[in-house]
Structure formats: structure tokens, C-alpha cells
Amino acid sequence: MNPKIDELNWKILKQLQDNARESFANIGRTVGLTAPAVAERVKKMEDLGIIHGYKATVSHALTGHQLKAIITLRAFMGKLKPFLAVVPTLQEVINCYRITGNENIVMEVVLKDQFHLEKFIDQLIQYGETRTHIVLSQVISNAPMYKVK
């Protein structure tokens, strides 16, 4: 067990993962601490890098992005590094992972429509072979992390 994350910190982390905008007073009532004690623990976890930040979760469909897809890339010889340099500039990419196995990259992308998808894939094919999987629905999203037993 990580000594920086005791039982109370795990309870605080759960509350923040459920609702990052929850007040320290409400979190304190739930976990049995005062608001200043919660604030101090949260600050320590931020300083240690346990908490990386806070962000809003946005609906891709309600922002005009009707397609969500998972695209894998198997990079051509000598094309992985150039791809890794360009991928941060691709606005369609909301998550990207370098992985083991036959493919080198897995990307989660949001797109306006199938025409946007086609143009996006056309950008990628210079770097390698792609496979596209259209997301039909999301089963689990940003599930909270829990203490490893």
C-alpha cells in the first residue's frame, strides 16, 4: 500500500472522482473531517502528484461531434517518431496511447461525421496502417480508481 494514500485519503479521492466540484465541507462531512483538514490532505495529494488536475467532462455529441471512434495505428518503419510529434496537434484525438503488440498506437477520436472520419484517416495513412472501430455506446467512462486490495 502507498503510505501517502491512507484510508481517509482514499475516501477523499472517491468523493473528488465522483464530483470534483464538491466542497471540502461536504467531503469532510462524508469522511469525518473538517473542511480545512480535507483541504490540507487534497493539497498534499496535489503536491505529490497523486491528483493531477480537475476538468470538465464534455458531451461530444452535443458539441457537434456525431462520431466517436477508436483507431489503431501500426506505424511504418521510421514513421512512429514523426507520428508521435504530430499527434498532439490533431484536434480530433482526445486520448492516445502507445501500446505493445502488433499496433503501436491506440487513439480515441471524436469527429463530425463519416466525411470527417475519411479525411482524418487520410491524414494518418502516411504514418502507417490504420484500423477504425466506431463506438456505438459507452459502457464505462472515467470510472473512479479504488484502493488496490
Side-chain angles (χ1 to χ4, degrees):
M1 181 167 119
N2 187 331
K4 299 169 193 132
I5 308 179
D6 62 13
E7 285 300 322
L8 280 172
N9 282 356
W10 276 112
K11 289 177 181 179
I12 292 168
L13 285 172
K14 170 149 182 9
Q15 295 295 312
L16 289 172
Q17 289 177 95
D18 289 344
N19 179 5
R21 294 185 66 178
E22 188 67 73
S23 72
F24 291 154
N26 283 342
I27 292 172
R29 280 190 281 280
T30 303
V31 303
L33 293 174
T34 65
V38 171
E40 182 180 330
R41 284 173 171 267
V42 169
K43 175 74 171 117
K44 282 183 184 176
M45 288 189 283
E46 290 170 346
D47 291 346
L48 291 168
I50 294 167
I51 297 174
H52 289 233
Y54 306 88
K55 64 173 26 175
T57 304
V58 179
S59 167
H60 71 279
L62 296 177
T63 58
H65 300 88
Q66 298 305 311
L67 277 181
K68 185 182 259 190
I70 305 297
I71 299 176
T72 60
L73 176 82
R74 182 177 184 177
F76 296 140
M77 184 69 77
K79 293 292 187 172
L80 182 58
K81 284 190 179 183
F83 174 79
L84 292 173
V86 78
V87 73
T89 69
L90 303 174
Q91 293 181 350
E92 296 87 350
V93 179
I94 57 173
N95 286 300
C96 182
Y97 305 96
R98 189 169 174 189
I99 61 168
T100 61
N102 289 330
E103 287 89 6
N104 306 95
I105 299 293
V106 173
M107 293 173 280
E108 183 179 0
V109 300
V110 292
L111 308 127
K112 291 182 281 188
D113 52 33
Q114 72 269 22
F115 304 109
H116 188 181
L117 173 61
E118 182 178 17
K119 285 175 63 175
F120 184 72
I121 291 171
D122 287 346
Q123 286 181 273
L124 297 179
I125 58 176
Q126 65 182 305
Y127 299 103
E129 178 185 322
T130 64
R131 287 189 183 179
T132 302
H133 310 272
I134 303 296
V135 174
L136 299 176
S137 64
Q138 201 157 8
V139 179
I140 297 175
S141 174
N142 297 315
M145 291 179 51
Y146 293 98
K147 179 178 151 183
V148 179
K149 295 180 182 183

